Amino acid sequence: MNPFVFHTPTRVYFGEASATSCGDFILELGGSRVLLVSDAFLEKSGMLAPIIESIVAATGNPPLIFNDVPPDSDISCVNRASQLARANQCDALVAVGGGSVIDTAKVVNICLTFGGELMDYQGLNIIDRPLLPLIAVPTTAGTGAEVSFVAMVKDHDEGKKLMFGSPYLAPNVAVLDPLLIVSLPAKLTAATGIDAVTHGIECFVASGTNSVFTDAICLEALRLLFEFLPQATVDGTNLEARGATLAASCMAGVAFTNSGVGITHALAHSVGAKYGTHHGMTNGVLLPHGMRFNLATTSTQYARIARFLNFTNGGSDAEQAQILVDKVENLLKELKLPRTLGELGIPELTADNLKELVDMASSDPAIMFNPKEASDDDLLQLLKGAY
Ligand SMILES: NC(=O)c1ccc[n+]([C@@H]2O[C@H](COP(=O)([O-])OP(=O)(O)OC[C@H]3O[C@@H](n4cnc5c(N)ncnc54)[C@H](O)[C@@H]3O)[C@@H](O)[C@H]2O)c1
Ligand SMILES: [Fe+2]
């Protein structure tokens, strides 16, 4: 067996109404003045109320609420939230929301702990010591941001996403409460869920420090997602399906943060940064193309996934791997997700636009872990094929 490192610093709590324990977790982590990061919709929906109540009951202080996180957060949002936290001497953070909210809280945490210029902390493993306590409460089931070592926020001036990566960015506690996902509309359930499917598939074949640990986690996460994501999308009140997708997306997050993702994510990051498309939905469009690109190199692993999911009754690895690609295509159809970059709303790709996307994707950290090397021309052809 190859040497590997597996590291997951986040304590995970799962259960209906578990979010009402946030106050106790903050107390245990030594926090007393909480910055609660969320978005306007979630605050208006009343979802934050029991969490705020639990924080007040435990700490005696009402949290400072920053509810202004847009989908795909940006530097100005991070700066505004950091100012609010500094002005009120906050010593802990609770993030309640999707990946955009959780990533914002992670980057705010860098600002609060280190001060100075945010840009100085961009990149991998620049952050080298613990940050303030952070509790992440996901309200979407897809990104795995509640356990991952990375955070991404947009730099509008540069038209690209900034990536921060370090084990110290992982939240101290992730609280998985299926009740908070019930209100997620079908379209976003499908879009966020396919992000988790992409994490599972890309991580299983990634060239990072892949291990038996991440293999096992990816397989079970994919089993849960293929079984329960369609159900959660059709009936959002199905708590068993909501819980299964929430657990699976967290598991896939633990896996990819250890072993990496690949070409689909590299391209989705560049398309998302340039056109503002939803991360999960963009991954959904690109995933079959990324899988086909990798197919010859990864057929043994794809076949293993296909067998684990009971998709095949034998055949060669190449045949079983192809069945997995077909099943992914069927899942995308069943979830009624866009199938082309055009359907995602992207205007016709000019040569200049394509070059810009290829340049961004070829320097994206995700591409480092793709099992097959991709030239600029490979990336270009893949984008053209997905249009
Ligand atoms: N840090 C990581 O490891 C990681 C991994 C993947 C993606 N991401 C980032 O996550 C972001 C995408 O996150 P996302 O897919 O969770 O979407 P999101 O956080 O952008 O949220 C999308 C929309 O869903 C709404 N929403 C959230 N929860 C809801 C609920 N329970 N009910 C109704 N509406 C709800 C939000 O208000 C928002 O309008 C991207 O910025 C992406 O780069 C981060
Ligand atoms: Fe992702």
Side-chain angles (χ1 to χ4, degrees), residues 322-340:
Q322 183 56 50
I323 288 172
L324 181 67
V325 181
D326 296 344
K327 289 284 185 181
V328 167
E329 301 253 27
N330 289 345
L331 181 65
L332 291 163
K333 262 184 232 150
E334 194 177 354
L335 296 175
K336 301 189 172 61
L337 283 163
R339 305 298 311 284
T340 66

Side-chain angles (χ1 to χ4, degrees), residues 22-24 26-27 30-36 48-65 88-92 94:
C22 277
D24 296 336
I26 283 291
L27 211 55
S32 62
R33 302 265 316 153
V34 171
L35 177 73
L36 198 165
L48 303 186
I51 298 172
I52 294 171
E53 228 171 83
S54 88
I55 294 171
V56 174
T59 66
N61 298 317
L64 273 301
I65 300 173
N88 291 280
Q89 286 97 41
C90 291
D91 57 10
V94 175

Side-chain angles (χ1 to χ4, degrees), residues 39 41-42 47 70-73 97-101 103 106 139-145 148-152 161 180-185 188 191-192 195 199 256 265 269 278-280:
D39 71 31
F41 169 81
L42 294 171
M47 215 182 279
D72 264 343
S73 185
S100 301
V101 165
D103 278 6
K106 287 175 170 177
T139 64
T140 62
T143 69
S148 80
F149 299 172
V150 294
M152 301 190 74
K161 276 208 158 186
L180 301 187
I181 320 288
V182 166
S183 58
L184 196 65
L188 276 169
T192 52
D195 188 18
H199 294 155
F256 86 71
H265 265 79
H269 288 153
H278 182 266
H279 173 74

Side-chain angles (χ1 to χ4, degrees), residues 193-205 214-230 244 248-249 251-252 287 291 301-302 304-306 308-309 311 324 328 331:
I194 208 71
D195 188 18
V197 171
T198 312
H199 294 155
I201 291 176
E202 288 212 285
C203 177
F204 196 75
V205 300
T214 53
D215 281 359
I217 293 170
C218 287
L219 287 174
E220 182 60 7
L222 287 168
R223 188 189 68 76
L224 290 169
L225 288 163
F226 270 93
E227 180 171 353
F228 289 104
L229 183 53
S249 85
M251 291 162 71
L287 180 59
M291 289 179 78
Q301 290 121 302
Y302 285 169
R304 253 188 88 196
I305 299 176
F308 186 82
L309 300 181
F311 287 163
L324 181 67
V328 167
L331 181 65

